[in-house]
Amino acid sequence: MTKQWEKLLNSRGDSVETILLCPTKNEMKTVMEQHFVKNTGKPTGIFVIAHGGEDDGRWVSFNPKNDEETFSWDDIVACGALKFPSQIFMVADTCYSARLGKKAFIDFQRRGDE
């Protein structure tokens, strides 16, 4: 399935830099930080297929070795999503992805007001 998505995204003119399958939170954090820094000043995106938690859409159950690990909007921001890229795009095929999007939107509004 990941190869099919990679082929589709590449055919549309996007590039796929890294594919993570069942990473640890630390692995995801490291790759995402590198991704944002590498793409400083450029429009940059994340495409994710994962389980989403009902509280705020955070990604859950991605690490089979530690079911307690989660990755939230705050983690994405901490990786540099709002610091390095000129624009951030996120496509998430997850349960409760709208809740994660709402949390991001509220964060953008708050930052804009500051």
Side-chain angles (χ1 to χ4, degrees), residues 41-55:
K42 300 176 189 171
T44 304
I46 303 167
F47 177 83
V48 61
I49 299 172
H51 294 289
E54 62 184 85
D55 52 348

Side-chain angles (χ1 to χ4, degrees), residues 27-96:
E27 289 169 335
M28 193 170 350
K29 179 181 173 283
T30 300
V31 167
M32 206 170 286
E33 287 172 343
Q34 292 170 350
H35 177 64
F36 292 138
V37 169
K38 178 182 176 185
N39 291 289
T40 296
K42 300 176 189 171
T44 304
I46 303 167
F47 177 83
V48 61
I49 299 172
H51 294 289
E54 62 184 85
D55 52 348
D56 63 358
R58 68 184 59 219
W59 305 331
V60 298
S61 303
F62 53 84
N63 179 1
K65 295 179 183 172
N66 183 350
D67 197 48
E68 299 299 313
E69 286 186 337
T70 65
F71 211 80
S72 68
W73 172 250
D74 294 334
D75 293 315
I76 296 167
V77 170
C79 290
L82 304 181
K83 180 178 179 183
F84 298 105
S86 63
Q87 296 176 36
I88 183 78
F89 300 90
M90 187 162 50
V91 176
D93 182 5
T94 67
C95 301
Y96 305 103

Side-chain angles (χ1 to χ4, degrees), residues 12-26:
R12 292 181 177 178
D14 293 314
S15 61
V16 177
E17 291 184 11
T18 306
I19 296 174
L20 298 174
L21 299 173
C22 301
T24 66
K25 180 173 183 164
N26 194 48

